Amino acid sequence: MRKSLILLLGILLLIFPLLFLGCEGDDGAQGPAGAVGPTGSTGDPGQDLTKVTEPESCAGCHSGAGTAHQAGYNELYQDEVITIENIAYTNDGTNDVVTFKMMKGSVPFDCREADSLGIYFVQYDNVARKFQFTPTSARLSIKGTLSYNFGPAQCTSTKAESTFGDLSALNGLFVIYGRDETLGTIPGSRVAQNKYPFAGVLPTAAFTGDPYISLANARAVEPATEDDPEPPLDGCERCHTVPYLKHGYIYGRVDHVEETDFYTCKACHLDDGDGGHFIWQLLVDD
């Protein structure tokens, strides 16, 4: 009997609070909002995706340097700033005389002021289809004493004639090339870094050059089309300067004329010469 009373009392103690639930106390409504907390610190703004640097660009490590470098590169190898006009050759019986006019932009240029200027003659053998002399001879420089006439802005080179006598009677080319405002030379090379390369070619009356075709090309011809107004570069220009400049200043083509591929180079590099750079020949053979 006593155990039953104790059990009944325990049940009443559990039920008793439930009898008054909802009569007094919390009605379940949401309480008032608490006070606004302090402003947090400014977070990382993150990366501006409009200014993402290409991973292999110079600016990836050298911010701002790319623009400065490009400005310097733009000064180099400026095409057709210095031009050569009105090339003529005469032989007065004892001298090879070459006259020509040079322009720097729209202003006449005194050829004596150029950093480097070469004048050559090279003979062409129509039978062998090669640039070489008959009888065999080395390169022929005909640059002599330079003078300048300010009136007609004419340059004149005068040099005692060679054993070939009057060169105008031969089948060949007169070649003029050079550079001005040289900024330096690439270390360990013969590549002159300069602002203004120039070149000019004058064929003799007997010269045809046909069907001479260089085994190399400054730029392979690929005509422009409506869909491709600028065909991809090929030949030397695929890896070198545009236009291609041997030694950094000798034009692979003169005045962008396709048929003059390597004419200026032949003034020094004759087809019957032994040449140099023998290691290159070994590389080809192997």
Side-chain angles (χ1 to χ4, degrees):
M1 181 67 176
R2 186 176 181 181
K3 291 182 178 180
S4 299
L5 291 174
I6 294 173
L7 179 61
L8 179 59
L9 179 61
I11 292 173
L12 291 174
L13 291 173
L14 291 174
I15 296 175
F16 184 79
L18 297 177
L19 297 175
F20 298 94
L21 184 62
C23 295
E24 291 182 2
D26 189 359
D27 60 1
Q30 183 175 352
V36 178
T39 302
S41 59
T42 302
D44 186 346
Q47 189 178 30
D48 183 353
L49 296 181
T50 64
K51 299 180 179 179
V52 174
T53 301
E54 291 296 329
E56 293 186 2
S57 70
C58 301
C61 297
H62 307 283
S63 178
T67 302
H69 285 320
Q70 190 61 57
Y73 298 150
N74 290 344
E75 291 189 351
L76 297 174
Y77 318 127
Q78 297 181 44
D79 186 30
E80 296 186 322
V81 173
I82 295 182
T83 56
I84 298 178
E85 307 171 358
N86 306 331
I87 303 174
Y89 167 85
T90 57
N91 183 293
D92 62 9
T94 57
N95 297 299
D96 290 320
V97 181
V98 179
T99 59
F100 54 97
K101 181 178 180 179
M102 297 182 71
M103 299 291 291
K104 191 172 187 178
S106 59
V107 180
F109 181 71
D110 185 342
C111 58
R112 298 173 299 177
E113 300 298 323
D115 288 352
S116 174
L117 185 146
I119 306 175
Y120 290 85
F121 176 79
V122 59
Q123 190 175 5
Y124 183 70
D125 187 329
N126 272 333
V127 176
R129 299 179 182 176
K130 294 180 178 179
F131 283 100
Q132 56 192 28
F133 286 96
T134 303
T136 300
S137 179
R139 65 186 64 165
L140 180 59
S141 172
I142 58 173
K143 177 185 175 182
T145 302
L146 296 176
S147 60
Y148 185 68
N149 187 334
F150 287 88
Q154 178 174 282
C155 299
T156 301
S157 168
T158 305
K159 185 177 182 179
E161 69 177 12
S162 67
T163 56
F164 290 94
D166 187 349
L167 299 175
S168 64
L170 302 179
N171 177 1
L173 299 171
F174 297 97
V175 178
I176 302 175
Y177 63 77
R179 65 181 187 271
D180 191 44
E181 296 196 35
T182 305
L183 302 179
T185 301
I186 295 178
S189 75
R190 297 171 60 193
V191 178
Q193 295 179 296
N194 62 103
K195 291 185 178 181
Y196 307 119
F198 55 83
V201 172
L202 172 68
T204 62
F207 178 77
T208 60
D210 184 38
Y212 173 80
I213 299 175
S214 173
L215 294 178
N217 57 40
R219 181 180 184 181
V221 178
E222 187 173 339
T225 64
E226 183 176 348
D227 296 331
D228 187 11
E230 295 185 4
L233 297 175
D234 203 350
C236 299
E237 293 182 359
R238 187 168 186 172
C239 299
H240 295 278
T241 56
V242 180
Y244 171 61
L245 301 166
K246 181 177 175 62
H247 299 310
Y249 68 100
I250 302 175
Y251 277 86
R253 284 183 181 176
V254 179
D255 297 329
H256 302 280
V257 177
E258 173 193 346
E259 290 77 15
T260 63
D261 259 356
F262 289 87
Y263 277 7
T264 53
C265 303
K266 293 301 180 182
C268 292
H269 299 278
L270 303 174
D271 286 320
D272 60 351
D274 292 332
H277 307 295
F278 297 111
I279 186 62
W280 292 358
Q281 298 178 30
L282 295 175
L283 291 171
V284 172
D285 292 341
D286 294 343

